[in-house]
């Protein structure tokens, strides 16, 4: 199984990482929401809403490809590594 981690580039078309992942088998996708980190960096509510809309669009696009999008909530960037490692074990990636 392959995993693609979406961060800033939330597009499906012309996405080299997604293309490579799909070449190598079943693929899952993940995006981490880090609200406390966003607050620390003064991300505006309108920007959070924009991200939420972009994630809905991404989910729809990935659904057409048969790729599930998992949205994971952690407080800060430094929490991602541990959570990602646990999910990789759980999903056998």
């Amino acid at each position: 199984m392959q995993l693609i981690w979406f961060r800033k580039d939330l597009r499906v078309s012309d996405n080299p990482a997604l293309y490579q992942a799909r070449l190598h088998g079943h693929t899952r996708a993940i995006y981490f929401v880090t609200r406390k980190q966003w607050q620390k960096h003064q991300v505006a509510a309108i920007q959070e809403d924009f991200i939420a809309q972009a994630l809905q669009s991404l989910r729809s696009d990935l659904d057409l490809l048969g790729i599930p999008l998992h949205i994971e909530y952690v407080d800060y960037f430094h929490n991602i590594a541990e959570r990602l490692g646990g999910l990789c074990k759980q999903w056998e990636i």
Side-chain angles (χ1 to χ4, degrees):
M1 172 150 348
Q2 309 300 311
L3 179 67
I4 180 166
W5 176 6
F6 284 91
R7 296 177 70 183
K8 291 183 180 183
D9 185 356
L10 303 181
R11 65 190 163 98
V12 169
S13 64
D14 194 32
N15 185 318
L18 179 60
Y19 175 78
Q20 288 297 318
R22 292 183 68 210
L23 282 178
H24 293 93
H26 183 72
T27 303
R28 283 181 168 256
I30 193 163
Y31 182 86
F32 286 93
V33 173
T34 56
R35 286 209 172 104
K36 287 186 179 182
Q37 188 80 46
W38 292 350
Q39 289 172 353
K40 186 176 179 180
H41 293 279
Q42 300 175 342
V43 172
I46 195 164
Q47 187 174 0
E48 286 188 41
D49 186 55
F50 178 79
I51 293 168
Q53 290 177 27
L55 288 171
Q56 288 177 354
S57 179
L58 177 63
R59 176 171 272 142
S60 295
D61 291 345
L62 290 171
D63 282 346
L64 293 173
L65 299 173
I67 299 172
L69 173 62
H70 182 78
I71 299 174
E72 189 70 23
Y73 295 85
V74 297
D75 290 335
Y76 297 100
F77 295 150
H78 69 265
N79 301 120
I80 292 174
E82 183 177 347
R83 184 73 57 89
L84 184 59
L87 289 170
C88 285
K89 286 180 184 176
Q90 178 184 333
W91 295 333
E92 299 179 354
I93 295 174

